[in-house]
Amino acid sequence: MTAATARTLLFVPGDRPERFDKAAAAGADLVVLDLEDAVAPDAKDKARDAVVDWLRATTTPSAVRINAVDSPWHAADLAALGVVVGSGRECAVMLPKAQDPTLVAGTVAALGDGAAVVALLETARGILRAEQIAAVPGVCRLAIGTYDLASELGVDPDEPVAMAAARGALVLASAAAGLVGPVDGVTGDVRDSERLVADVRRAAALGFAGKLCIHPAQVVPTATTLAPDADEVAWAERIVAAAEAAGDGVILVDGRMVDRPVVDRARHILTTTNGGNS
């Protein structure tokens, strides 16, 4: 399931079907068709129909951000996407405002066999329950919604220090559940590429492994920044080669002690370089 490992997740409004193919051509690992924030209430039903029609006709790795559990459109979204999932089509569901593990599990159950849910945590309650949500069978990834969360906390969503604890909670919960690193929230200014790269680097340093994008221009810089650079790859190759030559035990590489956790990290870097997305 692409959603479980995607580095770049590109939103496209669900009521703009003329943009779906353009989003698919942007090169993101995952196209996220948005039925929630991007769609006005009176356009929800039409947007849902357009999304389902496109999903049936494409092989593009996709996800759909459905409406929240407490919204009047949630049940219809689940019914429509359940048919898509049941057909064997690879399509994840992004659940906004995920904060109750029981309701998250109910969403997975309603989608049926083969369901894969990206839990979007964007409330204080959701952050505090990140470990339980990550452990729900069928949840393939955690993501953070910084703007809604910041509004509840009364802080600036673009202030790294204010959101650091919440981001750290998702990283720990993901690791404890055996999930790939979580997906970071959006960078709102689509014209500021330097800010985008800085945001991605900061999130990656915390352990995030993906990014929500809101414009095609954000896809390539995000993917490039998240991918291991040449120095990291060269370091990892030296570590793995030395470990394989020496066998078990502690070794020295570049004057530094190397034990199993270091070797495991090096192997992970090479895996994401050779077999990762983007």
Side-chain angles (χ1 to χ4, degrees):
M1 176 62 70
T2 303
T5 58
R7 288 177 182 155
T8 51
L9 297 84
L10 177 62
F11 279 119
V12 59
D15 60 348
R16 299 298 298 273
E18 74 279 5
R19 295 186 182 179
F20 295 173
D21 287 337
K22 293 178 181 178
D29 295 322
L30 198 70
V31 172
V32 183
L33 302 125
D34 190 8
L35 295 177
E36 195 211 14
D37 287 346
V39 181
D42 60 357
K44 298 282 190 183
D45 294 338
K46 185 176 180 180
R48 186 188 309 113
D49 291 342
V51 164
V52 170
D53 287 346
W54 188 76
L55 289 173
R56 286 173 172 162
T58 186
T59 58
T60 300
S62 308
V64 179
R65 179 163 71 170
I66 62 175
N67 289 282
V69 172
D70 60 356
S71 75
W73 308 282
H74 180 75
D77 289 349
L78 285 182
L81 271 298
V83 172
V84 174
V85 172
S87 71
R89 168 73 167 81
E90 180 182 328
C91 178
V93 168
M94 183 177 290
L95 180 64
K97 299 176 178 63
Q99 60 181 6
D100 185 329
T102 301
L103 295 179
V104 174
T107 295
V108 174
L111 291 167
D113 292 341
V117 170
V118 177
L120 182 58
L121 279 57
E122 42 193 340
T123 66
R125 183 169 294 178
I127 299 298
L128 291 174
R129 294 176 173 176
E131 182 178 1
Q132 298 98 303
I133 292 170
V136 172
V139 170
C140 68
R141 200 81 176 271
L142 299 183
I144 188 169
T146 51
Y147 278 72
D148 283 271
L149 177 60
S151 177
E152 181 178 353
L153 299 179
V155 299
D156 180 354
D158 295 325
E159 173 50 59
V161 173
M163 307 302 291
R167 285 187 167 101
L170 265 69
V171 171
L172 290 172
S174 296
L179 303 180
V180 171
V183 181
D184 197 27
V186 304
T187 295
D189 190 343
V190 300
R191 301 164 298 178
D192 192 343
S193 59
E194 291 184 0
R195 176 58 185 265
L196 172 69
V197 170
D199 286 349
V200 175
R201 283 178 177 162
R202 191 178 298 112
L206 290 172
F208 278 74
K211 172 80 170 172
L212 298 175
C213 302
I214 55 174
H215 191 279
Q218 295 181 325
V219 171
V220 171
T222 296
T224 301
T225 305
L226 283 172
D229 63 26
D231 289 341
E232 289 177 294
V233 172
W235 171 85
E237 289 174 340
R238 291 197 301 275
I239 295 293
V240 171
E244 291 177 348
D248 294 334
V250 177
I251 58 176
L252 287 176
V253 177
D254 300 337
R256 292 178 177 270
M257 184 188 76
V258 173
D259 55 8
R260 174 166 288 182
V262 177
V263 176
D264 288 345
R265 176 170 173 260
R267 288 196 169 116
H268 175 71
I269 288 173
L270 296 182
T271 299
T272 57
T273 301
N274 298 324
N277 293 296
S278 293

